[in-house]
Amino acid sequence: MKGIPAAGAASERLVRDYLDVDYHGRYASVLRLHPAPREAIAELCLFRFWLACRAYAHAGALPAATPPLYLPPGWTPPLQAGGLDIDHTLGGWHAHLLQSRFDLYDRFFQLGRHRDDPLGLDAAALALSCQLFVQPAAATRAWLREDVHGLFSALHAAFAATPGRPEPAREDA
């Protein structure tokens, strides 16, 4: 955290608070249906971290709001979710897990853009649904879609309001 500008430190604190969610409470309806709730919690945490990075980029804090998405300066990926070690729970190396999830969600995010969903959030929510379930039920997909849109909007607004954040890169500059 040493040497991070004040805006970066404030943003990282916001993300830490955002990731420190009661997964069992917030996602109870999803976890009830999942055959391995611990794995679902780890996946949800990785998705929420990706979504925070994406919202941060779209708030103008990073030079490019489209893939490839890079970690904001000073941000560290979560190692635990709901008291669970992500690497151990998902049986992989953390850097590989993070890279594969960022690649997956970015592909859906980028390719899923259309007139009714210019940000591709519906597609990213679908990717999460399919990451969690082989065949997600329509109700689960709908719930996750609403959750993703709500989280993105709240994060984007919070990052856009962060004092001292960098101005968005201008196309004509």
Side-chain angles (χ1 to χ4, degrees):
M1 215 39 138
K2 199 173 189 179
I4 297 172
S11 296
E12 186 173 8
R13 275 191 303 279
L14 180 109
V15 170
R16 291 287 159 228
D17 291 345
Y18 157 79
L19 290 174
D20 191 25
V21 64
D22 173 11
Y23 289 92
H24 291 282
R26 180 174 181 92
Y27 295 99
S29 62
V30 172
L31 296 176
R32 245 189 328 274
L33 302 172
H34 200 279
R38 296 167 56 92
E39 290 177 13
I41 289 171
E43 290 291 354
L44 287 162
C45 181
L46 291 176
F47 179 84
R48 287 172 64 98
F49 184 68
W50 170 84
L51 192 65
C53 292
R54 180 56 61 200
Y56 188 74
H58 272 270
L62 294 177
T66 57
L69 180 63
Y70 300 102
L71 292 181
W75 288 25
T76 54
L79 298 175
Q80 294 190 344
L84 304 170
D85 178 79
I86 292 173
D87 291 359
H88 179 73
T89 302
L90 295 179
W93 181 47
H94 197 72
H96 173 73
L97 290 170
L98 192 67
Q99 183 66 47
S100 71
R101 295 329 185 263
F102 267 48
D103 288 347
L104 170 69
Y105 300 132
D106 276 347
R107 268 191 231 116
F108 274 74
F109 174 82
Q110 184 67 17
L111 297 173
R113 294 172 178 207
H114 55 82
R115 188 180 70 233
D116 294 333
D117 183 25
L119 291 177
L121 292 176
D122 290 349
L126 177 62
L128 173 62
S129 298
C130 292
Q131 184 69 21
L132 293 171
F133 299 99
V134 174
Q135 292 183 325
T140 302
R141 286 192 322 266
W143 190 90
L144 286 169
R145 180 190 171 280
E146 292 303 314
D147 187 55
V148 167
H149 279 268
L151 290 171
F152 184 87
S153 293
L155 285 165
H156 184 269
F159 291 137
T162 301
R165 71 172 176 78
E167 289 300 313
R170 292 182 8 178
E171 297 294 322
D172 61 336

